[in-house]
């Protein structure tokens, strides 16, 4: 990833900033250009709560490049309070003890070092 | 004595402690040389000074309940910024969504970097340059055979929201004092992880700086050692705090609530300020707190706080909760975390 691309995404990576459609109120994460509910193109930035429920997960034991130091780790689909679903790494836990339906909360963590800089982004941990 | 033109108060505070802990007795070189029941915090594989600072600041802002408007500065004290050419302060401003016309900077290099950030923020608010300022501290110091002197070195972060003293502040800053002295007590050369120490002379510098700073503060405020309910003194090792307390006339019970070394280790840039978080977590209105910090080769800061009634209205106990939210690793697990190799949990 380029440094400029990373910084463009920083608001959503660092603080889960989504977009709320001004026409119908639908919340999108990540933000998008056109609302898939009403076709509106007018949005306002909306910081999401980061509170959610783990819907499903899997454990990565053979990680891709850049994630070697973290394996084994879990990635999962989290349903946020706002209704948005997010795919993210689950941290601060023993993956073997995770359960679907567990309450989780968003945190900003190191994702990996690539391109000469450190990528930070959201992960979830058991609440 | 350093004193602002207008009264300054703490509006919120917070800390972040990593989940991982190691008992010092499990470190092979430490066996027999350290108290057997001491433990310290260790960063997870995806944590560093930036991620910890962000969590501490969020907690402080949540407690302050003042939102992000009006924050004119965010200063972070650290000795372990993962970048050598990019400040933590600017990352925090982006992460908090307050980028723009604010002063964001790091205070580096010493064990009192966080208290330096605190006093600078007090100065910014006191001078009217900022209506609110955030003073943070975050450190992640690894210990290894290359760095035996840092056996107590630990990880964590703390943050304080400072504003003009009013109805919303939970503690008033009564005054501060600082004593600086160039000393080669403990130091590290640029590019080297190894800490060098001048042995017994290191302790002499600490005693001289801290006693000078604290005595000047007490003199200026017209207070004596018995006027404080809680006292936080430098706690880089088990002897330093008790030795200083004895010399300055403080009793062990005054030190109790702010002594975090046995449970957390020495979180270099903010060890004293984490002690302040621990005290504010349990302090009662009208109690008086003395904080004295020390940084090797940097001197000592001290300040006095008076706890206000508003502290009872805040939801507290987060620090104590985090102290108990922990999981132990053994030396093998610790080594893997240090080297960035996966910690097997299978």
């Amino acid at each position: 990833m380029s440094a400029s691309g990373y910084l463009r995404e920083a608001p959503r990576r660092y603080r889960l900033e989504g977009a709320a459609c001004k026409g119908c109120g639908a919340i999108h994460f990540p933000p998008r250009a056109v609302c898939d509910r009403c076709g509106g193109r007018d949005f306002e930035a909306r910081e999401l709560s980061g509170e959610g429920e783990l819907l499903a997960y899997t454990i990565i034991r053979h990680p891709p490049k850049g994630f070697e130091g973290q394996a084994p780790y879990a990635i999962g689909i989290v349903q946020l309070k706002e209704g948005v679903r997010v795919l993210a790494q689950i941290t601060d836990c023993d993956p073997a003890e995770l359960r679907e339906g567990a309450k989780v909360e968003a945190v900003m963590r190191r994702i990996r070092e690539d391109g000469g800089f450190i990528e930070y982004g959201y992960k979830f941990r058991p609440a | 004595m350093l004193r602002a033109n207008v009264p300054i108060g703490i509006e919120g505070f917070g800390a972040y402690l990593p989940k991982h802990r190691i008992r010092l007795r499990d470190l092979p070189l430490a066996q027999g040389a350290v108290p057997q029941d001491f433990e310290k915090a260790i960063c997870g594989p995806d944590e560093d000074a930036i991620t910890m600072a962000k969590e501490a600041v969020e907690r402080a802002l949540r407690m302050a309940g003042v939102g992000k408007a009006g924050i004119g500065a965010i200063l972070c004290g650290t000795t372990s910024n993962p970048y050598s050419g990019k400040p933590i302060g600017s990352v925090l401003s982006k992460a908090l969504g307050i980028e723009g016309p604010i002063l964001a900077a790091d205070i580096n290099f010493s064990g009192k970097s966080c208290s330096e950030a605190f006093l600078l923020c007090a100065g910014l608010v006191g001078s009217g340059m900022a209506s609110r300022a955030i003073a943070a501290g975050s450190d992640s110091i690894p210990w290894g055979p290359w760095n035996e002197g840092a056996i107590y070195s630990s990880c964590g972060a703390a943050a304080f929201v400072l504003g003009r003293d009013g109805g919303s502040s939970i503690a008033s800053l009564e005054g501060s004092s600082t004593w600086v002295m160039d000393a080669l007590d403990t130091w590290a050369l640029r590019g080297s992880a190894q800490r060098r120490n001048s042995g017994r002379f290191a302790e002499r510098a600490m005693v001289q700086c801290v006693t000078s700073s604290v005595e000047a503060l007490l003199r200026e405020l017209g207070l004596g050692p018995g006027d404080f309910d809680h006292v936080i003194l430098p706690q880089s090792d088990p002897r330093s705090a008790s030795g200083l307390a004895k010399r300055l006339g403080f009793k062990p019970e005054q030190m109790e609530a702010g002594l975090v070394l046995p449970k957390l280790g020495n979180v270099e840039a903010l060890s004293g300020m984490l002690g302040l978080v621990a005290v504010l977590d349990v302090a009662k209105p009208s109690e008086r707190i003395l904080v004295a910090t020390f940084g090797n080769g940097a001197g000592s800061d001290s300040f006095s706080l008076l706890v206000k009634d508003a502290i009872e209205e805040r939801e507290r106990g987060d620090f104590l909760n985090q102290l108990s939210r922990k999981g132990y690793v053994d030396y093998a697990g610790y080594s893997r975390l240090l080297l960035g190799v996966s910690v097997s949990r299978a």
Side-chain angles (χ1 to χ4, degrees):
Chain A
M1 169 173 276
S2 69
S4 56
Y6 170 71
L7 280 177
R8 267 197 304 278
E9 293 180 1
R12 72 176 193 237
R13 285 172 167 266
Y14 288 3
R15 57 177 190 269
L16 281 178
E17 188 175 284
C21 175
K22 285 184 177 173
C24 68
I27 294 172
H28 300 283
F29 186 86
R32 50 194 302 163
V34 179
C35 176
D36 63 357
R37 193 197 286 176
C38 73
R41 290 170 181 270
D42 242 3
F43 296 92
E44 63 182 4
R46 177 78 55 85
E47 206 171 308
L48 305 181
S49 66
E51 296 168 24
E53 183 185 326
L54 183 61
L55 295 182
Y57 68 95
T58 188
I59 299 173
I60 306 294
R61 296 181 190 279
H62 300 283
K65 185 171 172 277
F67 294 85
E68 297 89 341
Q70 300 177 41
Y73 60 86
I75 58 169
I77 298 170
V78 173
Q79 170 120 21
L80 295 177
K81 216 165 67 175
E82 293 84 353
V84 175
R85 290 182 179 182
V86 180
L87 177 69
Q89 205 170 321
I90 315 297
T91 188
D92 278 6
C93 65
D94 181 343
E97 289 176 7
L98 276 177
R99 292 291 174 265
E100 289 168 3
K103 300 289 178 206
V104 292
E105 60 187 1
V107 288
M108 187 184 95
R109 291 291 171 87
R110 289 171 78 111
I111 303 295
R112 62 176 177 171
E113 268 185 65
D114 192 24
F117 59 91
I118 305 167
E119 289 180 20
Y120 293 93
Y122 55 84
K123 295 184 182 182
F124 288 84
R125 71 173 169 217
Chain B
M1 187 165 76
L2 302 170
R3 188 179 267 169
N5 294 332
V6 296
I8 307 296
I10 297 177
E11 297 183 315
F13 64 89
Y16 175 75
L17 310 176
K19 182 185 165 195
H20 299 292
R21 301 282 195 286
I22 186 165
R23 296 179 178 93
L24 293 194
R25 63 169 181 259
D26 290 336
L27 296 173
L29 294 177
Q31 285 173 2
V34 296
Q36 295 295 291
D37 54 344
F38 276 31
E39 55 192 57
K40 66 176 185 174
I42 316 159
C43 279
D46 56 359
E47 291 179 304
D48 61 24
I50 289 179
T51 64
M52 292 190 293
K54 195 229 176 195
E55 286 226 26
V57 171
E58 281 177 333
R59 286 163 199 252
L61 279 170
R62 204 176 305 139
M63 176 185 276
V66 293
K68 297 166 187 172
I71 294 168
I74 181 163
L75 305 183
C76 185
T78 184
T79 67
S80 55
N81 185 344
Y83 283 105
S84 64
K86 177 175 164 57
I88 292 177
S90 58
V91 183
L92 290 178
S93 71
K94 165 106 50 193
L96 297 168
I98 53 173
E99 266 187 312
I102 72 161
L103 176 67
D106 288 8
I107 313 295
N108 285 320
F109 304 125
S110 89
K112 72 178 184 81
S113 294
C114 185
S115 64
E116 290 165 359
F118 184 90
L119 293 180
L120 287 168
C121 283
L124 288 166
V125 175
S127 67
M129 288 176 72
S131 50
R132 279 200 178 87
I134 299 173
S138 185
D139 242 344
S140 158
I141 308 288
W143 169 85
W146 67 88
N147 207 3
E148 285 182 51
I151 196 154
Y152 296 101
S153 291
S154 179
C155 309
F160 304 86
V161 179
L162 300 183
R164 290 198 172 200
D165 197 15
S168 65
S169 51
I170 56 172
S172 308
L173 180 63
E174 293 190 300
S176 65
S177 169
T178 190
W179 187 272
V180 70
M181 186 174 82
D182 179 23
L184 277 172
D185 37 18
T186 300
W187 68 97
L189 292 171
R190 180 171 285 278
S192 167
Q194 188 189 3
R195 303 283 175 97
R196 296 157 193 263
N197 190 293
S198 58
R200 63 195 173 93
F201 295 106
E203 193 172 327
R204 187 183 294 179
M206 181 185 70
V207 170
Q208 186 176 338
C209 288
V210 176
T211 52
S212 302
S213 163
V214 170
E215 283 169 359
L217 179 73
L218 298 184
R219 203 166 44 244
E220 290 288 336
L221 292 175
L223 298 170
D227 292 320
F228 293 91
D229 300 282
H230 302 283
V231 176
I232 299 134
L233 295 175
Q235 38 192 287
S236 53
D237 61 69
R239 283 190 316 143
S240 56
S242 56
L244 284 164
K246 203 171 173 186
R247 187 178 285 262
L248 287 162
F250 297 114
K251 296 178 179 156
E253 52 267 32
Q254 289 171 288
M255 315 273 295
E256 206 173 322
L259 195 61
V260 296
L261 179 73
K263 303 160 201 150
L264 274 183
N266 170 29
V267 191
E268 304 253 333
L270 61 145
S271 67
M273 300 303 275
L274 263 183
L276 175 58
V277 172
V279 166
L280 288 172
D281 229 21
V282 297
K284 297 183 182 69
S286 303
E287 286 189 331
R288 184 171 273 129
I289 303 167
L290 174 81
V291 182
T293 61
F294 174 74
N296 289 304
S300 169
D301 299 329
S302 59
F303 53 90
S304 171
L305 295 166
L306 191 60
V307 180
K308 298 176 65 179
D309 292 344
I311 201 164
E312 298 279 32
E313 296 158 15
R314 301 297 207 278
E315 195 176 319
R316 294 185 289 164
D318 183 53
F319 183 79
L320 291 174
N321 285 341
Q322 290 192 70
L323 270 183
S324 57
R325 183 193 74 103
K326 60 185 175 183
Y328 290 103
V329 296
D330 56 14
Y331 182 58
Y334 179 57
S335 304
R336 283 193 289 264
L337 281 172
L338 275 188
L339 297 171
V341 182
S342 63
V343 181
S344 174
R345 300 181 179 96

